[in-house]
mmCIF file of all heavy atoms in Angstrom:
data_model
loop_
_atom_site.group_PDB
_atom_site.id
_atom_site.type_symbol
_atom_site.label_atom_id
_atom_site.label_comp_id
_atom_site.label_asym_id
_atom_site.label_seq_id
_atom_site.Cartn_x
_atom_site.Cartn_y
_atom_site.Cartn_z
ATOM 1 N N SER B 78 -33.730 69.990 -14.039
ATOM 2 C CA SER B 78 -35.190 70.080 -14.184
ATOM 3 C C SER B 78 -35.656 71.529 -14.350
ATOM 4 O O SER B 78 -35.166 72.448 -13.682
ATOM 5 C CB SER B 78 -35.868 69.489 -12.944
ATOM 6 O OG SER B 78 -35.552 68.137 -12.794
ATOM 7 N N LYS B 79 -36.618 71.689 -15.249
ATOM 8 C CA LYS B 79 -37.241 72.989 -15.477
ATOM 9 C C LYS B 79 -38.683 72.944 -14.988
ATOM 10 O O LYS B 79 -39.286 71.869 -14.906
ATOM 11 C CB LYS B 79 -37.259 73.321 -16.983
ATOM 12 C CG LYS B 79 -35.935 73.158 -17.702
ATOM 13 C CD LYS B 79 -34.937 74.195 -17.303
ATOM 14 C CE LYS B 79 -33.656 74.058 -18.125
ATOM 15 N NZ LYS B 79 -32.567 74.898 -17.561
ATOM 16 N N LEU B 80 -39.234 74.104 -14.726
ATOM 17 C CA LEU B 80 -40.636 74.167 -14.317
ATOM 18 C C LEU B 80 -41.532 73.515 -15.364
ATOM 19 O O LEU B 80 -42.530 72.859 -15.041
ATOM 20 C CB LEU B 80 -41.069 75.619 -14.093
ATOM 21 C CG LEU B 80 -40.365 76.380 -12.976
ATOM 22 C CD1 LEU B 80 -40.869 77.819 -12.930
ATOM 23 C CD2 LEU B 80 -40.576 75.695 -11.628
ATOM 24 N N SER B 81 -41.150 73.680 -16.629
ATOM 25 C CA SER B 81 -41.948 73.153 -17.730
ATOM 26 C C SER B 81 -41.893 71.633 -17.839
ATOM 27 O O SER B 81 -42.629 71.041 -18.633
ATOM 28 C CB SER B 81 -41.498 73.777 -19.049
ATOM 29 O OG SER B 81 -40.116 73.526 -19.261
ATOM 30 N N ASP B 82 -41.033 71.001 -17.058
ATOM 31 C CA ASP B 82 -40.982 69.535 -17.057
ATOM 32 C C ASP B 82 -42.109 68.937 -16.212
ATOM 33 O O ASP B 82 -42.332 67.720 -16.240
ATOM 34 C CB ASP B 82 -39.635 69.041 -16.505
ATOM 35 C CG ASP B 82 -38.458 69.402 -17.395
ATOM 36 O OD1 ASP B 82 -38.663 69.558 -18.622
ATOM 37 O OD2 ASP B 82 -37.334 69.534 -16.868
ATOM 38 N N SER B 83 -42.807 69.755 -15.455
ATOM 39 C CA SER B 83 -43.900 69.262 -14.620
ATOM 40 C C SER B 83 -44.968 68.621 -15.501
ATOM 41 O O SER B 83 -45.515 69.273 -16.395
ATOM 42 C CB SER B 83 -44.525 70.409 -13.804
ATOM 43 O OG SER B 83 -43.559 70.977 -12.943
ATOM 44 N N ALA B 84 -45.232 67.362 -15.254
ATOM 45 C CA ALA B 84 -46.167 66.600 -16.089
ATOM 46 C C ALA B 84 -46.246 65.187 -15.518
ATOM 47 O O ALA B 84 -45.590 64.874 -14.515
ATOM 48 C CB ALA B 84 -45.705 66.537 -17.541
ATOM 49 N N THR B 85 -47.046 64.361 -16.168
ATOM 50 C CA THR B 85 -47.054 62.934 -15.842
ATOM 51 C C THR B 85 -46.298 62.199 -16.934
ATOM 52 O O THR B 85 -46.517 62.441 -18.124
ATOM 53 C CB THR B 85 -48.502 62.405 -15.756
ATOM 54 O OG1 THR B 85 -49.158 63.059 -14.670
ATOM 55 C CG2 THR B 85 -48.518 60.907 -15.508
ATOM 56 N N TYR B 86 -45.405 61.325 -16.538
ATOM 57 C CA TYR B 86 -44.571 60.584 -17.480
ATOM 58 C C TYR B 86 -45.039 59.128 -17.521
ATOM 59 O O TYR B 86 -45.090 58.443 -16.498
ATOM 60 C CB TYR B 86 -43.102 60.694 -17.081
ATOM 61 C CG TYR B 86 -42.594 62.110 -17.277
ATOM 62 C CD1 TYR B 86 -42.799 63.078 -16.294
ATOM 63 C CD2 TYR B 86 -41.968 62.487 -18.461
ATOM 64 C CE1 TYR B 86 -42.383 64.384 -16.489
ATOM 65 C CE2 TYR B 86 -41.538 63.797 -18.657
ATOM 66 C CZ TYR B 86 -41.757 64.741 -17.669
ATOM 67 O OH TYR B 86 -41.354 66.040 -17.873
ATOM 68 N N LEU B 87 -45.384 58.703 -18.717
ATOM 69 C CA LEU B 87 -45.944 57.365 -18.918
ATOM 70 C C LEU B 87 -44.928 56.457 -19.585
ATOM 71 O O LEU B 87 -44.312 56.822 -20.586
ATOM 72 C CB LEU B 87 -47.172 57.441 -19.826
ATOM 73 C CG LEU B 87 -48.382 58.199 -19.306
ATOM 74 C CD1 LEU B 87 -49.311 58.549 -20.442
ATOM 75 C CD2 LEU B 87 -49.115 57.358 -18.286
ATOM 76 N N CYS B 88 -44.812 55.279 -19.036
ATOM 77 C CA CYS B 88 -43.963 54.249 -19.624
ATOM 78 C C CYS B 88 -44.859 53.379 -20.513
ATOM 79 O O CYS B 88 -45.939 52.967 -20.076
ATOM 80 C CB CYS B 88 -43.353 53.454 -18.467
ATOM 81 S SG CYS B 88 -42.598 51.916 -18.890
ATOM 82 N N VAL B 89 -44.452 53.120 -21.732
ATOM 83 C CA VAL B 89 -45.258 52.330 -22.663
ATOM 84 C C VAL B 89 -44.406 51.230 -23.278
ATOM 85 O O VAL B 89 -43.279 51.488 -23.726
ATOM 86 C CB VAL B 89 -45.841 53.218 -23.778
ATOM 87 C CG1 VAL B 89 -46.684 52.389 -24.744
ATOM 88 C CG2 VAL B 89 -46.675 54.340 -23.176
ATOM 89 N N VAL B 90 -44.961 50.042 -23.307
ATOM 90 C CA VAL B 90 -44.243 48.884 -23.830
ATOM 91 C C VAL B 90 -45.083 48.266 -24.948
ATOM 92 O O VAL B 90 -46.292 48.119 -24.802
ATOM 93 C CB VAL B 90 -44.010 47.851 -22.702
ATOM 94 C CG1 VAL B 90 -43.388 46.577 -23.244
ATOM 95 C CG2 VAL B 90 -43.131 48.465 -21.618
ATOM 96 N N ASN B 91 -44.442 47.919 -26.044
ATOM 97 C CA ASN B 91 -45.147 47.364 -27.195
ATOM 98 C C ASN B 91 -44.701 45.944 -27.483
ATOM 99 O O ASN B 91 -43.496 45.665 -27.498
ATOM 100 C CB ASN B 91 -44.909 48.255 -28.416
ATOM 101 C CG ASN B 91 -45.487 47.673 -29.694
ATOM 102 O OD1 ASN B 91 -44.805 47.559 -30.699
ATOM 103 N ND2 ASN B 91 -46.765 47.312 -29.669
ATOM 104 N N ASP B 92 -45.680 45.100 -27.744
ATOM 105 C CA ASP B 92 -45.388 43.735 -28.178
ATOM 106 C C ASP B 92 -46.130 43.519 -29.489
ATOM 107 O O ASP B 92 -47.297 43.143 -29.493
ATOM 108 C CB ASP B 92 -45.855 42.735 -27.114
ATOM 109 C CG ASP B 92 -45.591 41.302 -27.541
ATOM 110 O OD1 ASP B 92 -44.970 41.088 -28.606
ATOM 111 O OD2 ASP B 92 -46.006 40.392 -26.797
ATOM 112 N N ARG B 93 -45.486 43.821 -30.590
ATOM 113 C CA ARG B 93 -46.202 43.800 -31.869
ATOM 114 C C ARG B 93 -46.454 42.384 -32.384
ATOM 115 O O ARG B 93 -47.206 42.192 -33.324
ATOM 116 C CB ARG B 93 -45.453 44.609 -32.922
ATOM 117 C CG ARG B 93 -44.073 44.081 -33.284
ATOM 118 C CD ARG B 93 -43.472 44.941 -34.401
ATOM 119 N NE ARG B 93 -42.149 44.495 -34.780
ATOM 120 C CZ ARG B 93 -41.041 44.964 -34.241
ATOM 121 N NH1 ARG B 93 -41.085 45.875 -33.296
ATOM 122 N NH2 ARG B 93 -39.866 44.524 -34.627
ATOM 123 N N TYR B 94 -45.864 41.398 -31.756
ATOM 124 C CA TYR B 94 -46.064 40.037 -32.237
ATOM 125 C C TYR B 94 -47.301 39.374 -31.633
ATOM 126 O O TYR B 94 -47.712 38.312 -32.052
ATOM 127 C CB TYR B 94 -44.826 39.178 -31.966
ATOM 128 C CG TYR B 94 -43.634 39.651 -32.752
ATOM 129 C CD1 TYR B 94 -42.464 40.011 -32.101
ATOM 130 C CD2 TYR B 94 -43.682 39.765 -34.130
ATOM 131 C CE1 TYR B 94 -41.366 40.468 -32.810
ATOM 132 C CE2 TYR B 94 -42.594 40.221 -34.850
ATOM 133 C CZ TYR B 94 -41.440 40.569 -34.195
ATOM 134 O OH TYR B 94 -40.368 41.021 -34.897
ATOM 135 N N THR B 95 -47.870 39.983 -30.626
ATOM 136 C CA THR B 95 -49.097 39.431 -30.051
ATOM 137 C C THR B 95 -50.202 40.484 -30.134
ATOM 138 O O THR B 95 -50.629 41.036 -29.123
ATOM 139 C CB THR B 95 -48.905 39.003 -28.585
ATOM 140 O OG1 THR B 95 -48.445 40.132 -27.838
ATOM 141 C CG2 THR B 95 -47.917 37.873 -28.464
ATOM 142 N N GLY B 96 -50.652 40.757 -31.352
ATOM 143 C CA GLY B 96 -51.765 41.675 -31.538
ATOM 144 C C GLY B 96 -51.385 43.138 -31.468
ATOM 145 O O GLY B 96 -52.243 43.998 -31.367
ATOM 146 N N ASN B 97 -50.091 43.404 -31.532
ATOM 147 C CA ASN B 97 -49.657 44.805 -31.542
ATOM 148 C C ASN B 97 -50.207 45.567 -30.354
ATOM 149 O O ASN B 97 -50.692 46.691 -30.467
ATOM 150 C CB ASN B 97 -50.088 45.490 -32.850
ATOM 151 C CG ASN B 97 -49.283 46.741 -33.116
ATOM 152 O OD1 ASN B 97 -48.195 46.923 -32.586
ATOM 153 N ND2 ASN B 97 -49.818 47.619 -33.925
ATOM 154 N N GLN B 98 -50.135 44.980 -29.196
ATOM 155 C CA GLN B 98 -50.641 45.622 -27.999
ATOM 156 C C GLN B 98 -49.625 46.592 -27.413
ATOM 157 O O GLN B 98 -48.420 46.348 -27.427
ATOM 158 C CB GLN B 98 -50.973 44.566 -26.939
ATOM 159 C CG GLN B 98 -52.194 43.733 -27.290
ATOM 160 C CD GLN B 98 -53.446 44.566 -27.413
ATOM 161 O OE1 GLN B 98 -53.747 45.377 -26.556
ATOM 162 N NE2 GLN B 98 -54.173 44.383 -28.500
ATOM 163 N N PHE B 99 -50.135 47.694 -26.917
ATOM 164 C CA PHE B 99 -49.332 48.667 -26.198
ATOM 165 C C PHE B 99 -49.774 48.640 -24.739
ATOM 166 O O PHE B 99 -50.953 48.766 -24.441
ATOM 167 C CB PHE B 99 -49.533 50.077 -26.771
ATOM 168 C CG PHE B 99 -48.908 50.268 -28.120
ATOM 169 C CD1 PHE B 99 -49.568 49.860 -29.264
ATOM 170 C CD2 PHE B 99 -47.668 50.863 -28.249
ATOM 171 C CE1 PHE B 99 -49.001 50.029 -30.520
ATOM 172 C CE2 PHE B 99 -47.085 51.052 -29.502
ATOM 173 C CZ PHE B 99 -47.756 50.632 -30.637
ATOM 174 N N TYR B 100 -48.831 48.491 -23.844
ATOM 175 C CA TYR B 100 -49.153 48.424 -22.425
ATOM 176 C C TYR B 100 -48.604 49.663 -21.728
ATOM 177 O O TYR B 100 -47.455 50.048 -21.933
ATOM 178 C CB TYR B 100 -48.568 47.155 -21.808
ATOM 179 C CG TYR B 100 -49.145 45.899 -22.419
ATOM 180 C CD1 TYR B 100 -48.451 45.202 -23.397
ATOM 181 C CD2 TYR B 100 -50.400 45.429 -22.030
ATOM 182 C CE1 TYR B 100 -48.992 44.060 -23.971
ATOM 183 C CE2 TYR B 100 -50.942 44.284 -22.603
ATOM 184 C CZ TYR B 100 -50.241 43.611 -23.572
ATOM 185 O OH TYR B 100 -50.777 42.484 -24.153
ATOM 186 N N PHE B 101 -49.456 50.267 -20.903
ATOM 187 C CA PHE B 101 -49.109 51.519 -20.242
ATOM 188 C C PHE B 101 -48.874 51.312 -18.754
ATOM 189 O O PHE B 101 -49.586 50.547 -18.105
ATOM 190 C CB PHE B 101 -50.274 52.511 -20.359
ATOM 191 C CG PHE B 101 -50.423 53.091 -21.726
ATOM 192 C CD1 PHE B 101 -50.939 52.341 -22.758
ATOM 193 C CD2 PHE B 101 -50.052 54.399 -21.962
ATOM 194 C CE1 PHE B 101 -51.079 52.883 -24.020
ATOM 195 C CE2 PHE B 101 -50.195 54.949 -23.216
ATOM 196 C CZ PHE B 101 -50.709 54.190 -24.253
ATOM 197 N N GLY B 102 -47.927 52.055 -18.235
ATOM 198 C CA GLY B 102 -47.845 52.201 -16.799
ATOM 199 C C GLY B 102 -48.894 53.213 -16.365
ATOM 200 O O GLY B 102 -49.520 53.880 -17.190
ATOM 201 N N THR B 103 -49.070 53.348 -15.079
ATOM 202 C CA THR B 103 -50.068 54.287 -14.566
ATOM 203 C C THR B 103 -49.581 55.728 -14.623
ATOM 204 O O THR B 103 -50.359 56.652 -14.441
ATOM 205 C CB THR B 103 -50.423 53.960 -13.106
ATOM 206 O OG1 THR B 103 -49.220 53.888 -12.350
ATOM 207 C CG2 THR B 103 -51.162 52.630 -13.017
ATOM 208 N N GLY B 104 -48.300 55.893 -14.910
ATOM 209 C CA GLY B 104 -47.763 57.251 -14.992
ATOM 210 C C GLY B 104 -47.125 57.700 -13.690
ATOM 211 O O GLY B 104 -47.559 57.306 -12.605
ATOM 212 N N THR B 105 -46.093 58.502 -13.823
ATOM 213 C CA THR B 105 -45.410 59.088 -12.660
ATOM 214 C C THR B 105 -45.569 60.590 -12.728
ATOM 215 O O THR B 105 -45.230 61.209 -13.734
ATOM 216 C CB THR B 105 -43.911 58.728 -12.673
ATOM 217 O OG1 THR B 105 -43.769 57.313 -12.590
ATOM 218 C CG2 THR B 105 -43.205 59.376 -11.489
#
Side-chain angles (χ1 to χ4, degrees):
Chain B
S78 298
K79 310 290 184 191
L80 297 177
S81 58
D82 294 333
S83 299
T85 296
Y86 291 84
L87 295 162
C88 166
V89 180
V90 174
N91 174 232
D92 179 5
R93 63 177 179 268
Y94 295 123
T95 57
N97 200 20
Q98 289 299 312
F99 289 83
Y100 298 99
F101 286 74
T103 53
T105 298

